[in-house]
């Protein structure tokens, strides 16, 4: 078992970013240091620092640490996914000014649903590969999936002409 001290841990004890970076370190040939000076800790710290640098203009300082402390319940996660993805609708409409509004909404919803389903499938595959897609984790992502689909249906109904 590897532990990287002083890094953000969400309430459920999982840091999926930590797991991903940790496994990336193994893929790069890094192992565990029995005396505690683990090369993966340096890789992880470097990855977090670089991600924070990239995300800072949009999400502020320490975006990764702040994300780990946010509400990651299925309800809050689904609300963020729905809000962020449907937030592009006005820009999409502006790019297609001559298109019928019902057809435009249908195309837009198809695009964001496709993107969401691909992301959900990828995340599920990663979690399954890590052997953690069970119990509360499986129930949580299944619930998030259901809530996102309901949010999309609600958005579509509210936008329908």
């Amino acid at each position: 078992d590897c532990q990287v001290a002083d890094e953000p841990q969400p309430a459920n004890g999982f840091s999926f970013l930590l797991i991903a970076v940790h496994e990336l370190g193994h893929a790069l040939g890094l192992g565990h240091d029995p005396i505690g000076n683990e090369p993966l800790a340096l890789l992880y710290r470097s990855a977090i620092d670089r991600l924070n640098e990239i995300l800072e203009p949009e999400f502020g300082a320490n975006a990764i640490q702040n994300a780990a402390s946010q509400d990651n319940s299925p309800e809050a996660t689904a609300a963020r996914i729905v809000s962020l993805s449907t937030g592009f609708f006005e820009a999409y409409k502006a790019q297609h000014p001559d298109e019928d509004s019902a057809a435009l909404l249908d195309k837009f919803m198809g695009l964001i649903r496709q993107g969401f389903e691909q992301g959900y499938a990828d995340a599920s595959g990663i979690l399954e590969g890590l052997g953690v897609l069970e119990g509360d984790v499986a129930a949580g992502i299944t619930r998030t999936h259901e809530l996102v689909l309901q949010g999309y249906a609600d958005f579509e109904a509210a936008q329908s002409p």
Side-chain angles (χ1 to χ4, degrees):
D1 241 3
C2 297
Q3 295 295 325
V4 178
D6 301 322
E7 295 303 332
Q9 296 293 317
N12 66 3
F14 275 88
S15 171
F16 293 116
L17 180 61
L18 174 60
I19 292 167
V21 173
H22 177 97
E23 295 306 320
L24 174 61
H26 286 307
L28 294 172
L30 299 175
H32 300 134
D33 186 343
I35 61 171
N37 190 11
E38 186 174 343
L40 283 173
L42 179 57
L43 176 66
Y44 176 64
R45 179 77 261 151
S46 296
I48 291 295
D49 289 347
R50 181 66 180 132
L51 287 170
N52 277 333
E53 182 182 313
I54 292 167
L55 296 173
E56 186 171 7
E58 188 169 346
F59 298 103
N62 299 314
I64 298 298
Q65 291 86 340
N66 294 337
S69 64
Q70 72 186 359
D71 180 357
N72 291 307
S73 66
E75 293 77 14
T77 301
R80 281 190 302 275
I81 292 168
V82 170
S83 175
L84 289 170
S85 57
T86 59
F88 290 103
F89 186 54
E90 292 303 316
Y92 187 80
K93 282 193 327 188
Q95 291 176 347
H96 302 87
D98 299 327
E99 197 159 335
D100 172 70
S101 61
L104 185 76
L105 178 61
D106 188 52
K107 285 181 184 178
F108 176 77
M109 295 308 298
L111 285 172
I112 65 172
R113 280 189 179 106
Q114 179 183 6
F116 170 68
E117 291 295 348
Q118 180 64 51
Y120 175 77
D122 291 348
S124 296
I126 291 167
L127 294 172
E128 189 172 333
L130 292 171
V132 297
L133 189 57
E134 54 191 35
D136 289 344
V137 173
I141 68 164
T142 298
R143 180 69 180 139
T144 300
H145 184 266
E146 293 167 353
L147 291 168
V148 168
L149 294 182
Q150 183 58 56
Y152 285 164
D154 293 345
F155 177 84
E156 195 167 13
Q159 298 295 320
S160 292

